[in-house]
Amino acid sequence: MTHGSTAAFRRLAHQHLPADAAERWVGLLRPGVRLEVGVGTGGAVGRLGGLPRLPAGVEWPVWEGHGPLSLVASVDCAALPADALDIAFPADGTLLFFYFDGRLDDGDDALVLAADPDSRAGARVLHVPVGADPVEREAPPGLAPYPVAYLTARPTMTSTEPWHPHVQRTFAPQAAFGSRYDHPVCGQEFLDAVWDFDGDVGHQLGGHAHAIHNPVELEIADAALGGATSWDDPLIRDEVDRWVLLAQFDSENAADMMWGDCGALYWLIRPEDLAALRFDRALFTWQCG
């Protein structure tokens, strides 16, 4: 929902919440890494757009029947701030995020949707390990790469919506799943204060996702369970707990990226798959205004 320092979040919480509730809310913050567009390559940990560097034998990702995916971002894992995340992010190598943006779909208007298993090939994460000797690939015919925008990294703390299952469990465990409830953390005064503090979606690794609509973990949990599970079913609550944000990428003028109506792209993964570098098991969703 927002990002900032723990001290700033604590001041904000104590201004609008009872002291006990403020401290419990602060305890639910999670560390993340904000990726911000910089000038030039100095201090860069990655970039939006451009062309990927791929090892021999690794093909440019394609969604069969629709077309090649565009490179959204590349991240140099070793360049990230050490111990900035609470997930087992790779210590080295490069992460490449690809997405089928519809620019080459022969007018089919195909969408990559979490709820549609047949579309999952339209979003991919590749990890290029150290020593793989990657080389820069030319884009497939007709697919223009996005302009390059270099990214710097800043460790931060992140908050999420009070109706996010992790927060709701703390303040109103008996409330209807995924809805507002009677508690000051759901009060409009506090919601407005948190939003005004820093409401930008932005680019981010780890931490709480900044959803535009419902918490993205709900969408991913529903998709992982096949899309046929009622939100009242405890299975959904359990599945939400099994997913963490890997990365989110906002619309970005500097890279000429617009996801729907000023939307954002999200990749989530189970912690055990992240630790095992099983990025083929990451799931994708996107939201826009």
Side-chain angles (χ1 to χ4, degrees):
M1 188 174 182
T2 55
H3 67 281
S5 69
T6 300
F9 273 127
R10 177 169 281 114
R11 287 193 298 270
L12 178 73
H14 279 276
Q15 288 172 1
H16 299 278
L17 299 174
D20 177 62
E23 286 304 312
R24 284 191 291 160
W25 183 80
V26 170
L28 298 171
L29 301 175
R30 291 189 55 218
V33 171
R34 297 292 284 190
L35 301 175
E36 299 170 332
V37 173
V39 178
T41 61
V45 301
R47 64 186 190 179
L48 299 172
L51 293 169
R53 292 176 57 83
L54 296 171
V58 176
E59 299 296 329
W60 188 295
V62 171
W63 183 7
E64 292 298 332
H66 297 283
L69 279 56
S70 293
L71 178 65
V72 174
S74 55
V75 176
D76 180 356
C77 300
L80 297 173
D83 302 320
L85 298 171
D86 61 358
I87 56 177
F89 212 81
D92 51 35
T94 302
L95 282 182
L96 304 174
F97 295 86
F98 290 88
Y99 170 61
F100 182 78
D101 55 18
R103 290 186 294 165
L104 288 181
D105 68 354
D106 295 326
D108 290 339
D109 294 326
L111 295 177
V112 185
L113 301 172
D116 180 7
D118 293 336
S119 73
R120 289 178 185 169
R124 296 274 303 278
V125 182
L126 300 181
H127 179 248
V128 180
V130 172
D133 296 326
V135 296
E136 186 172 279
R137 298 291 181 84
E138 292 186 5
L143 184 67
Y146 286 103
V148 171
Y150 289 98
L151 297 169
T152 60
R154 176 170 60 84
T156 188
M157 297 300 289
T158 63
S159 72
T160 189
E161 303 91 336
W163 44 88
H164 188 290
H166 295 167
V167 182
Q168 184 178 355
R169 185 182 298 120
T170 296
F171 293 106
Q174 304 307 317
F177 190 52
S179 62
R180 288 198 185 190
Y181 44 90
D182 185 18
H183 190 281
V185 295
C186 278
Q188 198 60 48
E189 176 190 346
F190 183 58
L191 292 175
D192 289 343
V194 172
W195 183 263
D196 290 342
F197 176 67
D198 192 339
D200 291 336
V201 176
H203 317 299
Q204 184 177 303
L205 304 174
H208 287 298
H210 189 307
I212 296 172
H213 298 297
N214 290 321
V216 294
E217 292 88 348
L218 294 178
E219 296 180 14
I220 294 298
D222 181 61
L225 292 172
T229 306
S230 167
W231 280 30
D232 296 329
D233 193 318
L235 284 175
I236 285 283
R237 296 175 185 254
D238 293 342
E239 190 64 28
V240 163
D241 290 340
R242 298 190 65 195
W243 294 88
V244 295
L245 178 71
L246 176 64
Q248 69 181 38
F249 296 102
D250 201 355
S251 296
E252 176 60 65
N253 289 336
D256 198 22
M257 292 177 175
M258 178 64 69
W259 315 125
D261 183 11
C262 297
L265 312 179
Y266 306 86
W267 278 269
L268 283 80
I269 194 168
R270 291 176 172 137
E272 62 269 25
D273 292 331
L274 176 58
L277 305 180
R278 290 300 306 268
F279 295 103
D280 57 308
R281 295 179 177 173
L283 291 184
F284 168 87
T285 190
W286 65 284
Q287 295 183 353
C288 70

